[in-house]
Amino acid sequence: MSEIAWVRETLLASAEPEYREFHQSLVPGLTTMMGVRMPKCREIARQISKKDWKGFLQETDDTCYEELMLQGLVIGYAKMSREEQRLWLSRFIPKINNWAVCDCCCSTYKFMKKDRLYWLDVLKQYLKEGKEFEVRFVVVCLLDHFMEEEYLDIQFEIYEEICQREDIPFYVQMAVAWAVSVCYVHFPERTEEFLKRHRLDTFTHNKAIQKIRESCRVSREDKERLLSLKR
């Protein structure tokens, strides 16, 4: 049995119609979802990464939600050179069409932590055209792999640049708000100063404050004070 045939047979055997219905409600607009849970997708991706991962990436179907997810996960799990990682990401990122594939795959790219300056330059290239899920990919990777104080100002500059554009896509706004809320948890004073400068668009600014106030890692006093910054 070929690698791609094994993958499709395994996905089909792992599909749950009830979970498919539930997950489709969280990822609107997708009709190609089989209903395979995320832990199982990660298990399959790890198995692929130990075998003919290159063959799978060349043959897989971009239209199937789970196969698209597997593409992104395999790039994170397979033993690739930095150049191979960049090559396969350049082919994968433009295909991302929903927040779930974006976020789950971003969290898998732990290799970015080993060479942050290199990957920061790579990520910045995807900001230029401003496509919704390419920009969200950048923001979520920053959130997952660059949450260090030395990269905080760089994050703020990128979020500010994104939010100065017209017609910011919804899933980009939500990602920036999420990222800023995590920045606050780790670096509250510097993040609050950033919020006081009001450099985000109004929706993202207020959504970031909302997410901070929903965090169980933020004190009641801080939550009350942040209310005064809402626009």
Side-chain angles (χ1 to χ4, degrees):
M1 182 183 296
S2 68
E3 187 76 359
I4 194 66
W6 171 81
V7 168
R8 287 171 179 165
E9 183 178 286
T10 305
L11 286 174
L12 187 60
S14 306
E16 301 177 36
E18 290 184 2
Y19 178 72
R20 176 181 182 272
E21 184 175 344
F22 165 73
H23 197 47
Q24 277 188 321
S25 69
L26 301 178
V27 190
L30 290 185
T31 59
T32 60
M33 190 181 293
M34 298 173 67
V36 181
R37 293 179 184 268
M38 197 60 210
K40 185 63 178 181
C41 285
R42 290 194 180 277
E43 178 187 325
I44 296 170
R46 288 189 180 98
Q47 292 182 57
I48 296 169
S49 69
K50 295 175 182 177
K51 299 186 287 183
D52 183 18
W53 58 264
K54 188 175 292 186
F56 167 76
L57 291 175
Q58 290 171 336
E59 296 180 44
T60 187
D61 181 4
D62 297 337
T63 63
C64 173
Y65 170 83
E66 279 81 4
E67 286 193 39
L68 184 61
M69 179 75 79
L70 289 177
Q71 288 182 52
L73 297 178
V74 166
I75 294 169
Y77 292 139
K79 290 184 178 180
M80 300 183 186
S81 67
R82 190 173 71 176
E83 290 68 30
E84 286 177 313
Q85 289 165 338
R86 183 170 183 171
L87 170 65
W88 288 106
L89 278 176
S90 72
R91 298 177 180 179
F92 168 69
I93 294 171
K95 302 175 187 177
I96 299 174
N97 58 7
N98 65 84
W99 66 265
V101 167
C102 176
D103 297 4
C104 291
C105 293
C106 285
S107 68
T108 312
Y109 303 142
K110 301 186 189 308
F111 54 77
M112 290 187 179
K113 292 183 178 180
K114 298 177 182 178
D115 199 350
R116 286 191 173 105
L117 288 177
Y118 174 83
W119 287 108
L120 184 61
D121 285 340
V122 173
L123 290 173
K124 285 180 177 178
Q125 296 176 16
Y126 290 96
L127 294 173
K128 295 175 182 177
E129 292 189 19
K131 294 180 180 178
E132 183 169 18
F133 290 106
E134 292 187 8
V135 176
R136 184 180 174 98
F137 179 90
V138 174
V139 174
V140 179
C141 281
L142 290 174
L143 161 65
D144 285 337
H145 309 301
F146 293 80
M147 194 55 68
E148 303 286 344
E149 190 162 13
E150 64 183 296
Y151 292 97
L152 196 57
D153 285 339
I154 294 172
Q155 287 197 60
F156 291 158
E157 288 172 9
I158 290 173
Y159 303 152
E160 179 179 333
E161 176 189 337
I162 291 170
C163 290
Q164 296 303 312
R165 301 174 183 176
E166 296 182 1
D167 302 321
I168 312 162
F170 173 75
Y171 285 106
V172 173
Q173 291 177 306
M174 294 299 289
V176 172
W178 174 26
V180 171
S181 73
V182 175
C183 288
Y184 186 90
V185 168
H186 291 278
F187 311 104
E189 292 182 4
R190 291 182 62 184
T191 305
E192 187 166 337
E193 285 302 312
F194 172 69
L195 287 169
K196 285 178 178 178
R197 295 199 295 271
H198 295 280
R199 304 303 297 171
L200 304 177
D201 65 281
T202 299
F203 175 86
T204 307
H205 175 92
N206 289 341
K207 183 61 69 173
I209 291 173
Q210 176 188 329
K211 288 181 175 294
I212 294 168
R213 297 184 76 250
E214 290 171 351
S215 173
C216 61
R217 294 186 287 174
V218 177
S219 71
R220 181 179 298 177
E221 293 76 15
D222 289 347
K223 291 178 181 181
E224 291 302 314
R225 188 181 64 257
L226 287 168
L227 269 178
S228 67
L229 295 181
K230 289 195 75 173
R231 305 210 302 264

